[in-house]
Amino acid sequence: MATQESQATAILSVYNKTGLLDLAKGLTRNHVRLLGSGGTAKMIRDAGFEIEDISNVTQAPEMLGGRVKTLHPAVHAGILARDIESDLKDLAEQSMRKVDFVVCNLYPFQETVAKVNVTIAEAVEDIDIGGVTLLRAAAKNHSRVTVLCDPNDYAEFVSSLDRGEIAGQSRQLYALKAFELTSSYDTAIADFFRKQYASNGQQHISLRYGINPHQTPASAYVNGQALPFKVLAGSPGYINLLDALNAWPLVKELKEALGVPAAASFKHVSPAGAAVGVPLNKAEKTVFMVDDIDGLSDSLLAQAYARARGSDRMSSFGDMIALSDEVDVTTAKIISREVSDGVIAPAYHPEALKILVQKKGGKYLVLQIDPAYTPPERETRTVYGFTLAQKRNDAKIKPETTFGNIITPKEAPPLPQSALRDLTVATIVLKYTQSNSVCYALNGQTIGLGAGQQSRIHCTRLAGDKADNWWMRFHDRPLSLKFSKGTKRPDKSNVIDQLCSGEVASSGPEREAYEAVFAEVPADFTKDERQEWLTKLSEVAVSSDAFFPFPDNIFRAARSGVKYVTAPGGSVNDHAVYEAAEKMDITFVEQTTRLFHH
């Protein structure tokens, strides 16, 4: 039998008593002194095992209805004591003994707050204090103390004890599990009280549902600070926020890089279009359906959104809009007549806000973002129960520094400002586009975006086809279309897209539906007419979020008027890609940062 001084001591204080008696049997078999609290001690004692009440050690009874049981220096000094002379001396002077094993799990706070109509008082009573303190103390001193918080570990622990030693690695893993338990427990408590005390949008906001209607409940929240945005109108959904919180940094970075207002039209976590405030000419105003907007020429922000929306009107249907500057009345008027889900901006002119809050019968989502907000450097996401963590993509794209390495042609002069602007727009857009992605840009706006394709050539083709479609809209034929009275803007956009892309049905109900939109049905474009017009497209800039693996990307880009290409290097075929660019009279600029986004 071990002497009192050498006998190991275990403290047991558990809510979940699964496996407790088998554990007590194993500890007793190994001559471990057992100390227990409340119901834990009673269950073990009733089963015929010897166990002392913790109050015998503390010389203080459980009090405050059980709120104070183990919070005492006699308990925690024994747990925290190290095998060093000064600690052992302190224990001896206080007639205290070391604790070698701590077995503890916690009040079921998560289960309590999951109950329907649970009150704050009920939740508070299931916040474990002593248990968390026991676990953290034992886990902190895991170089000497073994802490058990999971009944699934009891059998392995007893087997090790029977063999005469608890391995250091086992103590480490048990301690890790204890720290994880206390962390998740505190997170659950904070989540509950955040919803109770800061759910008015201060730190927490409830969402209608997640990505799909059956994914409920859903919410958005931040820790330790106020939400960086306010909901001025409407009710945000999960996808709304995914779009808004990708679109906002995009326009913020465009504004910082180029010094002019920026706008983005987002759908399903990729841009449908993005642009900076470059003045519109007469044809552009007509193509982008803003030729009847008063005061348009006085608002670069309004012109930026007209360009962003006009990049791909079909994809922008039902968009989430991001604007870099205070929303003025002119911009609000454009938004008011488009099919859109919401807008995010740093500020709103009072009259502009009046226009927007009336949209969709008052249900239009209007978010005001704090422009000074900077997200944490580390970002996390959970996928299939696993947590992924990485440094946030804080790469800076600047026209004066990012595009200085011209690969071909040799001895090329510096890039013109218009090319630097368009390469900057295309590249920043890719930073917030689902990969793989390739972007075509002209006149300070995207004109074709290939997003989320597994093959890069498919990105390049998709973006090129969209750029071609965009340019076909400037042909005299679509510019002079005559529509049936009462035709809605989305219907106009749809038939223009069919006409310009060559997707008009030759006959049947589909052709009849197409022709019904027009007062005068336009002639379809012939192959030669289309080809002749596309040869007039020039000075287009293209950016890729990663290297081009084959020269076919360059050949396809050249067919859509591309004169400037930027992409990271790193492919074994880089030289062949550069040769293709030289043959096609394209300036190839290497930028060094891969910009995958998922």
Side-chain angles (χ1 to χ4, degrees):
M1 179 69 69
T3 64
Q4 187 180 45
E5 290 74 17
S6 64
Q7 185 181 18
T9 297
I11 289 179
L12 300 95
S13 180
V14 296
Y15 178 87
N16 178 1
K17 296 176 174 57
T18 301
L20 179 62
L21 297 182
D22 287 337
L23 175 63
K25 181 178 180 181
L27 290 167
T28 301
R29 183 170 63 246
N30 284 277
H31 310 296
V32 176
R33 177 194 184 200
L34 306 187
L35 301 175
S37 65
T40 303
K42 182 178 186 302
M43 181 175 180
I44 292 173
R45 190 175 294 118
D46 289 348
F49 299 108
E50 184 176 341
I51 185 169
E52 301 174 48
D53 290 324
I54 287 181
S55 58
N56 291 345
V57 174
T58 64
Q59 295 301 303
E62 292 185 11
M63 57 190 299
L64 305 182
R67 282 190 167 197
V68 178
K69 300 176 184 177
T70 60
L71 296 170
H72 195 280
V75 171
H76 291 285
I79 295 172
L80 289 165
R82 296 156 292 181
D83 284 325
I84 60 176
E85 183 177 352
S86 59
D87 283 8
L88 298 177
K89 180 174 179 292
D90 286 343
L91 290 181
E93 288 176 351
Q94 300 298 323
S95 300
M96 297 176 181
R97 293 172 57 180
K98 290 189 295 183
V99 174
D100 304 277
F101 311 111
V102 172
V103 182
C104 182
N105 53 58
L106 306 176
Y107 294 160
F109 181 84
Q110 291 95 322
E111 289 82 354
T112 296
V113 298
K115 296 175 182 177
V116 177
N117 297 324
V118 64
T119 66
I120 291 177
E122 290 170 336
V124 163
E125 286 309 308
D126 265 355
I127 296 176
D128 203 316
I129 304 300
V132 170
T133 309
L134 284 174
L135 290 175
R136 290 182 65 85
K140 175 176 180 176
N141 203 26
H142 67 267
S143 61
R144 182 184 67 78
V145 177
T146 302
V147 57
L148 296 172
C149 63
D150 183 353
N152 291 320
D153 293 328
Y154 292 171
E156 176 189 66
F157 165 76
V158 170
S159 295
S160 298
L161 196 63
D162 288 339
R163 292 193 299 269
E165 182 182 9
I166 308 300
Q169 184 180 23
S170 295
R171 289 199 306 275
Q172 292 169 357
L173 293 177
Y174 294 150
L176 171 60
K177 186 174 286 190
F179 283 130
E180 289 173 337
L181 174 60
T182 58
S183 175
S184 64
Y185 196 75
D186 285 340
T187 296
I189 294 169
D191 286 347
F192 175 77
F193 285 103
R194 188 185 300 110
K195 293 173 185 176
Q196 298 298 317
Y197 298 149
S199 62
N200 57 352
Q202 183 179 352
Q203 284 185 247
H204 176 278
I205 185 170
S206 295
L207 307 178
R208 297 193 304 273
Y209 48 78
I211 291 177
N212 299 294
H214 66 276
Q215 292 175 263
T216 56
S219 63
Y221 62 89
V222 290
N223 290 319
Q225 61 182 332
L227 284 169
F229 63 83
K230 296 178 181 178
V231 180
L232 303 184
S235 176
Y238 194 97
I239 295 177
N240 293 148
L241 290 184
L242 285 178
D243 285 341
L245 298 177
N246 276 275
W248 164 250
L250 190 163
V251 298
K252 182 180 181 182
E253 290 183 32
L254 282 177
K255 173 71 179 290
E256 291 172 349
L258 296 172
V260 287
S265 170
F266 249 70
K267 283 283 295 294
H268 289 290
V269 206
S270 279
V276 292
V278 175
L280 298 167
N281 61 35
K282 183 178 179 181
E284 288 171 330
K285 290 178 182 178
T286 301
V287 168
F288 303 152
M289 298 185 177
V290 291
D291 51 329
D292 58 341
I293 296 290
D294 293 333
L296 182 62
S297 298
D298 298 326
S299 172
L300 286 178
L301 183 67
Q303 293 176 87
Y305 180 61
R307 287 186 179 279
R309 179 88 184 195
S311 295
D312 183 352
R313 288 190 59 82
M314 297 297 290
S315 296
S316 287
F317 185 86
D319 64 350
M320 187 73 200
I321 301 165
L323 301 166
S324 66
D325 291 41
E326 178 181 286
V327 179
D328 54 32
V329 171
T330 306
T331 307
K333 286 181 178 178
I334 297 175
I335 296 172
S336 69
R337 60 186 192 176
E338 299 290 3
V339 177
S340 170
D341 277 358
V343 59
I344 184 169
Y348 297 84
H349 186 279
E351 293 303 314
L353 185 59
K354 285 182 181 179
I355 294 171
L356 294 174
V357 299
Q358 293 173 8
K359 188 173 172 63
K360 295 177 70 172
K363 295 181 179 180
Y364 187 67
L365 178 61
V366 181
L367 300 177
Q368 183 173 351
I369 184 80
D370 177 3
Y373 171 73
T374 300
E377 184 176 279
R378 182 174 179 267
E379 60 184 14
T380 61
R381 67 169 66 179
T382 302
V383 179
Y384 202 59
F386 295 86
T387 299
L388 305 179
Q390 66 172 358
K391 177 186 176 185
R392 180 172 57 88
N393 185 359
D394 58 0
K396 296 296 183 183
I397 310 300
K398 299 181 179 179
E400 63 272 16
T401 57
T402 302
F403 308 109
N405 186 18
I406 299 177
I407 303 297
T408 186
K410 303 297 183 185
E411 317 251 336
L415 296 176
Q417 289 300 308
S418 59
L420 286 172
R421 175 200 61 206
D422 294 342
L423 288 172
T424 300
V425 169
T427 305
I428 290 177
V429 164
L430 294 180
K431 185 179 172 185
Y432 295 97
T433 302
Q434 298 298 303
S435 297
N436 291 315
S437 60
V438 171
C439 183
Y440 292 52
L442 182 67
N443 298 337
Q445 68 170 91
T446 60
I447 64 171
L449 185 60
Q453 304 299 303
Q454 288 79 7
S455 165
R456 189 153 305 278
I457 184 58
H458 288 163
C459 292
T460 306
R461 291 172 183 166
L462 175 59
D465 291 347
K466 289 190 174 190
D468 293 349
N469 192 349
W470 176 87
W471 178 240
M472 289 301 299
R473 288 154 57 194
F474 288 86
H475 189 281
D476 285 342
R477 192 170 302 165
L479 282 174
S480 58
L481 292 174
K482 291 181 172 59
F483 295 99
S484 300
K485 187 177 180 180
T487 301
K488 296 181 179 179
R489 293 168 70 84
D491 294 325
K492 292 179 181 180
S493 296
N494 187 32
V495 294
I496 291 171
D497 183 76
Q498 291 180 63
L499 174 64
C500 292
S501 62
E503 291 292 330
V504 179
S506 59
S507 61
E510 185 178 357
R511 178 74 187 197
E512 293 170 4
Y514 168 79
E515 293 183 351
V517 175
F518 298 104
E520 295 180 14
V521 179
D524 297 349
F525 281 111
T526 67
K527 183 177 180 180
D528 289 342
E529 285 177 326
R530 182 178 176 83
Q531 187 59 43
E532 181 186 3
W533 182 252
L534 289 177
T535 61
K536 302 178 187 298
L537 178 59
S538 186
E539 303 305 312
V540 177
V542 162
S543 185
S544 174
D545 65 356
F547 62 69
F548 288 116
F550 299 105
D552 53 357
N553 292 274
I554 302 300
F555 296 137
R556 172 60 190 90
R559 300 208 315 259
S560 295
V562 172
K563 291 298 180 184
Y564 307 96
V565 170
T566 188
S571 168
V572 294
N573 280 332
D574 276 351
H575 186 67
V577 171
Y578 302 153
E579 281 188 342
E582 192 163 11
K583 289 176 181 177
M584 304 308 294
D585 195 26
I586 290 175
T587 299
F588 194 103
V589 183
E590 183 184 49
Q591 68 93 0
T592 58
T593 305
R594 194 180 79 174
L595 293 170
F596 281 172
H597 183 64
H598 292 285

Coordinates of all heavy atoms in Angstrom, one line a residue, residues 429-489:
V429 N -10.4 42.6 -60.0 CA -11.6 41.8 -60.2 C -11.4 40.3 -60.0 O -12.1 39.6 -59.3 CB -12.3 42.1 -61.5 CG1 -13.3 41.0 -61.9 CG2 -12.9 43.5 -61.6
L430 N -10.3 39.8 -60.5 CA -9.9 38.4 -60.4 C -9.7 38.0 -58.9 O -10.0 36.9 -58.6 CB -8.7 38.1 -61.2 CG -8.9 38.2 -62.7 CD1 -7.6 37.8 -63.4 CD2 -10.0 37.3 -63.3
K431 N -9.2 38.9 -58.2 CA -8.9 38.7 -56.8 C -10.2 38.3 -56.0 O -10.1 37.6 -55.0 CB -8.3 39.9 -56.1 CG -7.8 39.7 -54.7 CD -7.2 41.0 -54.2 CE -6.9 40.9 -52.7 NZ -6.4 42.1 -52.1
Y432 N -11.3 38.7 -56.5 CA -12.6 38.4 -55.9 C -13.5 37.6 -56.8 O -14.8 37.6 -56.6 CB -13.3 39.7 -55.5 CG -12.5 40.4 -54.4 CD1 -11.6 41.5 -54.8 CD2 -12.5 40.0 -53.1 CE1 -10.8 42.1 -53.8 CE2 -11.7 40.7 -52.1 CZ -10.9 41.7 -52.5 OH -10.1 42.3 -51.5
T433 N -13.0 36.8 -57.7 CA -13.7 36.0 -58.6 C -13.4 34.5 -58.4 O -12.2 34.2 -58.2 CB -13.4 36.3 -60.1 OG1 -13.7 37.7 -60.3 CG2 -14.2 35.5 -61.0
Q434 N -14.4 33.6 -58.4 CA -14.2 32.2 -58.2 C -13.2 31.7 -59.3 O -13.4 31.9 -60.5 CB -15.5 31.4 -58.2 CG -16.5 31.8 -57.1 CD -15.9 31.6 -55.7 OE1 -15.6 30.4 -55.4 NE2 -15.8 32.6 -54.9
S435 N -12.2 30.9 -58.8 CA -11.2 30.4 -59.8 C -11.7 29.1 -60.4 O -12.5 28.4 -59.9 CB -9.9 30.2 -59.0 OG -9.4 31.4 -58.6
N436 N -11.0 28.8 -61.6 CA -10.1 29.6 -62.4 C -10.9 30.8 -63.0 O -12.0 30.7 -63.2 CB -9.5 28.8 -63.5 CG -8.6 27.7 -63.0 OD1 -7.7 27.9 -62.2 ND2 -8.7 26.5 -63.6
S437 N -10.1 31.9 -63.3 CA -10.8 33.0 -63.8 C -9.9 33.8 -64.7 O -8.7 33.9 -64.5 CB -11.3 33.9 -62.7 OG -10.3 34.4 -61.9
V438 N -10.5 34.4 -65.7 CA -9.8 35.3 -66.7 C -10.8 36.4 -67.0 O -12.0 36.2 -67.1 CB -9.5 34.5 -68.0 CG1 -9.0 35.5 -69.1 CG2 -8.5 33.4 -67.8
C439 N -10.2 37.6 -67.0 CA -11.0 38.8 -67.2 C -10.5 39.7 -68.3 O -9.3 40.0 -68.4 CB -11.0 39.6 -65.9 SG -12.1 41.1 -66.0
Y440 N -11.5 40.1 -69.2 CA -11.2 41.1 -70.3 C -11.7 42.5 -69.8 O -12.8 42.6 -69.3 CB -11.9 40.7 -71.5 CG -11.4 39.4 -72.2 CD1 -11.3 38.2 -71.6 CD2 -11.2 39.4 -73.6 CE1 -10.9 37.1 -72.2 CE2 -10.8 38.3 -74.3 CZ -10.7 37.1 -73.6 OH -10.3 35.9 -74.2
A441 N -10.9 43.5 -70.0 CA -11.4 44.9 -69.6 C -11.0 45.9 -70.7 O -10.1 45.7 -71.4 CB -10.7 45.2 -68.3
L442 N -11.8 46.9 -70.7 CA -11.7 48.0 -71.6 C -12.4 49.3 -71.1 O -13.5 49.1 -70.5 CB -12.2 47.7 -73.0 CG -12.1 48.7 -74.1 CD1 -10.6 48.9 -74.5 CD2 -12.9 48.3 -75.4
N443 N -11.8 50.4 -71.3 CA -12.4 51.7 -70.9 C -12.8 51.7 -69.4 O -13.8 52.2 -68.9 CB -13.7 52.0 -71.7 CG -13.4 52.1 -73.1 OD1 -12.3 52.5 -73.5 ND2 -14.4 51.9 -74.0
G444 N -11.9 51.1 -68.6 CA -12.1 51.1 -67.1 C -13.2 50.1 -66.6 O -13.7 50.3 -65.5
Q445 N -13.6 49.1 -67.4 CA -14.6 48.2 -66.9 C -14.3 46.8 -67.5 O -13.6 46.6 -68.4 CB -16.0 48.7 -67.5 CG -16.1 48.5 -69.0 CD -17.6 48.8 -69.5 OE1 -17.9 49.9 -69.8 NE2 -18.4 47.7 -69.5
T446 N -14.9 45.8 -66.8 CA -14.9 44.5 -67.3 C -15.8 44.4 -68.5 O -16.9 45.0 -68.5 CB -15.4 43.5 -66.3 OG1 -16.7 43.8 -65.9 CG2 -14.5 43.5 -65.0
I447 N -15.4 43.6 -69.5 CA -16.3 43.4 -70.7 C -16.5 41.9 -70.9 O -17.4 41.5 -71.7 CB -15.8 44.1 -72.0 CG1 -14.5 43.5 -72.4 CG2 -15.6 45.6 -71.8 CD1 -14.0 43.9 -73.8
G448 N -15.8 41.1 -70.2 CA -15.9 39.7 -70.3 C -15.2 39.0 -69.1 O -14.1 39.3 -68.9
L449 N -16.0 38.1 -68.4 CA -15.4 37.5 -67.2 C -15.7 36.0 -67.3 O -16.9 35.6 -67.4 CB -15.9 38.1 -66.0 CG -15.3 37.6 -64.6 CD1 -13.8 37.9 -64.6 CD2 -16.1 38.2 -63.5
G450 N -14.6 35.2 -67.3 CA -14.8 33.7 -67.2 C -14.5 33.2 -65.8 O -13.3 33.3 -65.4
A451 N -15.5 32.8 -65.1 CA -15.3 32.5 -63.7 C -15.6 31.0 -63.4 O -16.5 30.5 -64.0 CB -16.2 33.4 -62.8
G452 N -14.8 30.5 -62.4 CA -15.2 29.2 -61.9 C -15.1 28.0 -62.8 O -15.8 27.0 -62.7
Q453 N -14.2 28.1 -63.8 CA -14.0 27.0 -64.7 C -12.8 26.2 -64.4 O -11.7 26.7 -64.0 CB -13.8 27.6 -66.2 CG -14.9 28.5 -66.6 CD -16.2 27.7 -66.6 OE1 -16.4 26.7 -67.3 NE2 -17.2 28.3 -65.9
Q454 N -12.9 24.9 -64.5 CA -11.7 24.0 -64.1 C -10.6 24.1 -65.2 O -9.5 23.9 -64.8 CB -12.2 22.5 -64.1 CG -13.1 22.2 -62.9 CD -14.5 22.6 -63.0 OE1 -14.9 23.1 -64.1 NE2 -15.3 22.5 -61.9
S455 N -10.9 24.5 -66.4 CA -9.9 24.6 -67.4 C -9.7 26.1 -67.8 O -10.7 26.8 -68.0 CB -10.4 23.9 -68.7 OG -9.6 24.3 -69.8
R456 N -8.5 26.5 -67.8 CA -8.2 27.9 -68.1 C -8.6 28.3 -69.5 O -9.1 29.4 -69.7 CB -6.7 28.2 -67.8 CG -6.4 29.7 -67.9 CD -5.2 30.1 -67.1 NE -5.3 29.6 -65.7 CZ -6.0 30.3 -64.7 NH1 -6.6 31.4 -65.0 NH2 -6.1 29.8 -63.5
I457 N -8.4 27.4 -70.5 CA -8.8 27.8 -71.8 C -10.3 28.1 -71.9 O -10.8 28.9 -72.6 CB -8.4 26.8 -72.9 CG1 -8.7 27.3 -74.3 CG2 -9.0 25.4 -72.6 CD1 -8.1 28.6 -74.7
H458 N -11.1 27.3 -71.1 CA -12.5 27.5 -71.0 C -12.9 28.9 -70.4 O -13.8 29.5 -70.8 CB -13.2 26.4 -70.3 CG -13.3 25.1 -71.1 ND1 -13.5 23.9 -70.5 CD2 -13.1 24.9 -72.4 CE1 -13.5 22.9 -71.4 NE2 -13.2 23.5 -72.6
C459 N -12.1 29.3 -69.4 CA -12.2 30.6 -68.8 C -12.0 31.7 -69.9 O -12.7 32.6 -70.1 CB -11.2 30.9 -67.7 SG -11.4 29.9 -66.2
T460 N -10.9 31.5 -70.7 CA -10.5 32.5 -71.7 C -11.6 32.5 -72.8 O -11.9 33.6 -73.3 CB -9.1 32.1 -72.3 OG1 -8.2 32.0 -71.2 CG2 -8.7 33.2 -73.3
R461 N -12.1 31.4 -73.2 CA -13.1 31.3 -74.2 C -14.4 32.0 -73.7 O -15.1 32.8 -74.4 CB -13.4 29.9 -74.7 CG -12.2 29.3 -75.5 CD -12.5 27.8 -75.7 NE -11.4 27.1 -76.4 CZ -11.3 25.8 -76.4 NH1 -12.2 25.0 -75.8 NH2 -10.3 25.3 -77.1
L462 N -14.8 31.6 -72.5 CA -16.1 32.1 -72.0 C -16.0 33.7 -71.8 O -16.9 34.4 -72.2 CB -16.3 31.5 -70.6 CG -17.5 32.0 -69.8 CD1 -18.8 31.8 -70.6 CD2 -17.6 31.3 -68.4
A463 N -14.9 34.1 -71.3 CA -14.7 35.6 -71.1 C -14.6 36.3 -72.5 O -15.2 37.4 -72.7 CB -13.4 35.9 -70.3
G464 N -13.9 35.6 -73.4 CA -13.8 36.2 -74.8 C -15.2 36.2 -75.5 O -15.5 37.2 -76.2
D465 N -16.0 35.2 -75.3 CA -17.3 35.2 -75.9 C -18.2 36.3 -75.3 O -18.9 37.0 -76.1 CB -18.0 33.8 -75.7 CG -17.3 32.7 -76.5 OD1 -16.5 33.0 -77.4 OD2 -17.6 31.5 -76.2
K466 N -18.0 36.5 -74.0 CA -18.8 37.6 -73.4 C -18.3 39.0 -73.9 O -19.1 39.9 -74.1 CB -18.7 37.5 -71.9 CG -19.5 36.3 -71.3 CD -19.5 36.4 -69.8 CE -20.4 35.4 -69.2 NZ -20.7 35.5 -67.8
A467 N -17.0 39.1 -74.1 CA -16.4 40.4 -74.6 C -17.0 40.6 -76.0 O -17.3 41.8 -76.4 CB -14.9 40.3 -74.6
D468 N -17.0 39.6 -76.8 CA -17.5 39.7 -78.2 C -19.0 40.2 -78.1 O -19.4 41.0 -78.9 CB -17.4 38.4 -78.9 CG -16.0 38.0 -79.2 OD1 -15.1 38.8 -79.0 OD2 -15.7 36.8 -79.6
N469 N -19.7 39.5 -77.3 CA -21.2 39.9 -77.1 C -21.3 41.3 -76.7 O -22.2 42.1 -77.2 CB -21.8 38.9 -76.1 CG -23.3 39.0 -76.1 OD1 -23.9 39.9 -76.7 ND2 -23.9 38.0 -75.4
W470 N -20.5 41.7 -75.8 CA -20.5 43.1 -75.3 C -20.3 44.1 -76.5 O -21.0 45.1 -76.6 CB -19.4 43.3 -74.2 CG -19.3 44.7 -73.7 CD1 -20.0 45.3 -72.7 CD2 -18.4 45.7 -74.2 NE1 -19.6 46.6 -72.5 CE2 -18.6 46.8 -73.4 CE3 -17.4 45.7 -75.2 CZ2 -17.8 48.0 -73.6 CZ3 -16.7 46.9 -75.4 CH2 -16.9 48.0 -74.6
W471 N -19.3 43.8 -77.3 CA -18.9 44.7 -78.4 C -20.0 44.7 -79.4 O -20.3 45.7 -80.1 CB -17.6 44.3 -79.0 CG -17.1 45.1 -80.1 CD1 -16.9 44.6 -81.4 CD2 -16.9 46.5 -80.2 NE1 -16.5 45.7 -82.2 CE2 -16.5 46.8 -81.5 CE3 -17.0 47.5 -79.2 CZ2 -16.2 48.1 -81.9 CZ3 -16.7 48.8 -79.6 CH2 -16.3 49.1 -80.9
M472 N -20.6 43.5 -79.7 CA -21.7 43.5 -80.7 C -22.8 44.4 -80.4 O -23.6 44.9 -81.3 CB -22.2 42.1 -80.9 CG -21.3 41.1 -81.5 SD -20.8 41.5 -83.2 CE -22.3 41.6 -84.1
R473 N -23.0 44.7 -79.1 CA -24.1 45.6 -78.7 C -23.9 47.1 -79.2 O -24.8 47.9 -79.2 CB -24.2 45.6 -77.2 CG -24.9 44.3 -76.7 CD -24.5 44.0 -75.2 NE -24.8 45.0 -74.3 CZ -24.4 45.1 -73.0 NH1 -23.5 44.2 -72.6 NH2 -24.7 46.1 -72.3
F474 N -22.6 47.4 -79.6 CA -22.3 48.7 -80.1 C -22.5 48.8 -81.6 O -22.3 49.9 -82.2 CB -20.9 49.1 -79.7 CG -20.7 49.4 -78.3 CD1 -20.5 48.4 -77.4 CD2 -20.9 50.7 -77.8 CE1 -20.3 48.6 -76.0 CE2 -20.7 51.0 -76.4 CZ -20.4 49.9 -75.5
H475 N -22.9 47.7 -82.3 CA -23.2 47.8 -83.7 C -24.5 48.6 -83.9 O -25.4 48.7 -83.0 CB -23.4 46.3 -84.2 CG -23.5 46.2 -85.7 ND1 -24.7 46.5 -86.4 CD2 -22.6 45.8 -86.6 CE1 -24.5 46.2 -87.7 NE2 -23.2 45.8 -87.8
D476 N -24.6 49.2 -85.1 CA -25.8 50.1 -85.3 C -27.1 49.3 -85.2 O -28.1 49.9 -84.8 CB -25.7 50.6 -86.8 CG -24.7 51.7 -86.9 OD1 -24.3 52.3 -85.8 OD2 -24.2 52.1 -88.0
R477 N -27.1 48.0 -85.5 CA -28.4 47.3 -85.4 C -29.0 47.2 -84.1 O -30.1 47.6 -83.9 CB -28.1 45.9 -86.0 CG -29.5 45.1 -86.3 CD -29.2 43.9 -87.2 NE -28.5 44.2 -88.4 CZ -27.9 43.3 -89.2 NH1 -27.9 42.0 -88.8 NH2 -27.3 43.7 -90.3
P478 N -28.2 46.7 -83.0 CA -28.8 46.7 -81.7 C -29.0 48.1 -81.1 O -29.9 48.3 -80.3 CB -27.8 45.9 -80.8 CG -26.6 45.8 -81.6 CD -27.0 45.9 -83.1
L479 N -28.2 49.1 -81.6 CA -28.4 50.5 -81.1 C -29.7 51.1 -81.6 O -30.2 52.0 -81.0 CB -27.2 51.3 -81.6 CG -25.9 51.2 -80.8 CD1 -24.8 52.0 -81.4 CD2 -26.1 51.6 -79.3
S480 N -30.3 50.6 -82.7 CA -31.5 51.2 -83.3 C -32.7 50.3 -83.2 O -33.6 50.4 -84.0 CB -31.2 51.5 -84.8 OG -30.8 50.3 -85.5
L481 N -32.7 49.3 -82.3 CA -33.8 48.4 -82.2 C -35.1 49.2 -81.8 O -35.1 50.1 -81.0 CB -33.5 47.4 -81.1 CG -32.4 46.4 -81.4 CD1 -32.1 45.5 -80.2 CD2 -32.8 45.5 -82.6
K482 N -36.2 48.7 -82.3 CA -37.5 49.2 -82.0 C -38.3 48.1 -81.3 O -38.6 47.1 -81.9 CB -38.3 49.7 -83.2 CG -37.6 51.0 -83.8 CD -38.4 51.4 -85.1 CE -37.9 52.8 -85.6 NZ -36.4 52.7 -85.9
F483 N -38.7 48.4 -80.0 CA -39.4 47.4 -79.2 C -40.9 47.6 -79.2 O -41.4 48.7 -79.4 CB -38.8 47.4 -77.8 CG -37.4 47.0 -77.7 CD1 -36.4 47.9 -77.6 CD2 -37.0 45.6 -77.7 CE1 -35.1 47.6 -77.5 CE2 -35.7 45.3 -77.6 CZ -34.7 46.2 -77.5
S484 N -41.6 46.5 -78.9 CA -43.1 46.6 -78.7 C -43.3 47.5 -77.5 O -42.6 47.5 -76.5 CB -43.7 45.2 -78.6 OG -43.4 44.4 -79.7
K485 N -44.5 48.2 -77.5 CA -44.8 49.0 -76.4 C -45.0 48.2 -75.1 O -45.6 47.2 -75.1 CB -46.1 49.7 -76.7 CG -46.5 50.8 -75.7 CD -47.8 51.5 -76.1 CE -48.2 52.6 -75.0 NZ -49.4 53.3 -75.4
G486 N -44.4 48.7 -74.0 CA -44.5 48.1 -72.7 C -43.5 47.0 -72.5 O -43.5 46.3 -71.4
T487 N -42.5 46.8 -73.4 CA -41.5 45.8 -73.2 C -40.6 46.2 -72.0 O -40.1 47.3 -71.9 CB -40.6 45.7 -74.5 OG1 -41.4 45.3 -75.6 CG2 -39.5 44.6 -74.2
K488 N -40.4 45.3 -71.1 CA -39.6 45.6 -69.9 C -38.1 45.5 -70.1 O -37.7 44.8 -71.1 CB -40.0 44.6 -68.8 CG -41.5 44.7 -68.4 CD -41.8 43.7 -67.2 CE -43.3 43.9 -66.8 NZ -43.6 42.9 -65.7
R489 N -37.4 46.1 -69.3 CA -35.9 46.2 -69.5 C -35.3 44.8 -69.5 O -34.4 44.5 -70.3 CB -35.3 47.1 -68.3 CG -35.7 48.5 -68.4 CD -35.3 49.3 -67.2 NE -33.9 49.4 -67.0 CZ -33.2 50.4 -67.6 NH1 -33.8 51.3 -68.4 NH2 -31.9 50.5 -67.4

